[in-house]
């Protein structure tokens, strides 16, 4: 493993072009303007290097010199600590804990549904699509409280929510103008950020032409 990582002088990210987990890592990299070599791989034809570096053979996988990381949230928090400006997590321990809890809930409640929607099982996908739509719309009041998700500042929580909301058209999920007004305003605010726009792969850009 060390020999493979040592061949790479620049930070490297193994990323799938239409993977929500990879996308949220790319958002963090763009927000912090980190120099990185992004290798967009084909999930059906993964390079041998990836399996040697990551025992789960999954994306995203980050290589930083001799360090190899392969969980999206671990990668995001590492990047935020390694490159502290601009900060994407609160400094206060209590507020930081709330942010981590929000991250946990989004992963548990939304990202698990994405896996079901993309599973290829029509019945499972239909049920997951319905649950995801209801869950997103039920959070409308929360999106209205602050400019960003429960925060005045853009955080890793927003970096995690944005890829899900960006993919709603792909999943056939609509956000009604009246019921979802706070969500639509949030989406406009987050999607217009330079970091978000720079993070998009060609495949992701095509979701919302």
């Amino acid at each position: 493993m060390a020999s493979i990582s040592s061949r790479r002088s620049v930070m490297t990210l193994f990323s799938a072009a239409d993977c929500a987990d990879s996308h949220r890592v790319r958002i963090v990299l763009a927000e912090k303007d980190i120099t990185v070599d992004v290798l967009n791989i084909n999930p059906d034809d993964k390079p041998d290097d990836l399996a040697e570096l990551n025992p789960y053979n999954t994306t995203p996988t980050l290589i930083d010199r001799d360090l190899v990381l392969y969980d999206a949230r671990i990668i995001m928090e590492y990047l935020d600590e390694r490159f502290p400006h601009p900060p994407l997590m609160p400094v206060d321990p209590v507020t930081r804990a709330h942010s981590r809890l929000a991250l946990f809930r989004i992963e548990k409640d939304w990202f698990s549904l994405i896996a079901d929607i993309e599973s290829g099982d029509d019945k499972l996908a239909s049920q997951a699509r319905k649950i995801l739509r209801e869950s997103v719309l039920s959070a409308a009041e929360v999106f209205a409280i602050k400019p960003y998700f429960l925060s005045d500042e853009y955080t890793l929580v927003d970096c995690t929510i944005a890829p899900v909301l960006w993919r709603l058209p792909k999943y056939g999920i609509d956000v009604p103008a009246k019921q979802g007004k706070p969500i639509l305003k949030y989406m406009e605010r987050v999607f217009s950020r330079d970091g978000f726009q720079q993070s998009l792969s060609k495949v992701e850009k095509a979701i919302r032409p």
Side-chain angles (χ1 to χ4, degrees):
M1 183 179 296
S3 62
I4 295 172
S5 58
S6 64
R7 294 202 301 266
R8 305 181 184 277
S9 58
V10 178
M11 185 181 290
T12 302
L13 177 71
F14 284 89
S15 170
D18 190 21
C19 163
D21 271 321
S22 293
H23 190 186
R24 56 179 174 147
V25 171
R26 282 186 264 115
I27 293 172
V28 175
L29 289 165
E31 285 286 337
K32 291 179 174 288
D33 195 23
I34 299 170
T35 299
V36 60
D37 184 11
V38 177
L39 303 180
N40 280 311
I41 68 168
N42 180 349
D44 297 322
D45 186 22
K46 297 175 182 176
D48 294 338
D49 267 15
L50 183 59
E52 294 180 51
L53 291 162
N54 174 351
Y56 301 100
N57 200 23
T58 56
T59 56
T61 295
L62 182 79
I63 307 169
D64 186 13
R65 294 165 297 185
D66 290 334
L67 177 67
V68 180
L69 300 174
Y70 41 80
D71 173 84
R73 195 179 350 159
I74 290 173
I75 294 171
M76 293 164 72
E77 292 200 21
Y78 168 74
L79 292 171
D80 194 45
E81 292 171 358
R82 171 118 154 72
F83 302 91
H85 301 290
L88 293 176
M89 281 290 273
V91 175
D92 171 63
V94 173
T95 310
R96 182 180 285 252
H98 282 303
S99 293
R100 284 185 168 135
L101 187 59
L103 284 167
F104 173 81
R105 292 197 61 180
I106 294 161
E107 291 168 349
K108 192 81 171 175
D109 297 345
W110 290 5
F111 274 73
S112 62
L113 292 171
I114 287 177
D116 290 343
I117 291 171
E118 297 180 345
S119 66
D121 182 323
D122 291 343
K123 185 177 180 180
L124 183 64
S126 179
Q127 182 181 14
R129 191 177 295 111
K130 180 181 178 182
I131 295 171
L132 180 58
R133 183 180 188 274
E134 291 173 353
S135 182
V136 169
L137 293 180
S138 70
E141 292 183 3
V142 180
F143 281 103
I145 295 172
K146 298 275 189 177
Y148 297 105
F149 196 80
L150 295 176
S151 174
D152 290 317
E153 304 295 333
Y154 188 79
T155 72
L156 294 184
V157 179
D158 302 293
C159 296
T160 298
I161 290 174
V164 178
L165 298 182
W166 181 261
R167 285 164 170 73
L168 293 183
K170 174 188 173 185
Y171 302 144
I173 297 174
D174 66 302
V175 179
K178 186 175 180 180
Q179 184 182 359
K181 186 176 180 180
I183 303 170
L184 292 170
K185 285 188 172 181
Y186 172 86
M187 289 163 64
E188 182 179 357
R189 186 177 305 117
V190 171
F191 295 164
S192 65
R193 292 178 67 90
D194 288 342
F196 183 86
Q197 288 297 316
Q198 292 167 16
S199 74
L200 293 167
S201 66
K202 289 182 179 179
V203 175
E204 289 161 344
K205 286 179 181 178
I207 295 173
R208 295 174 179 262

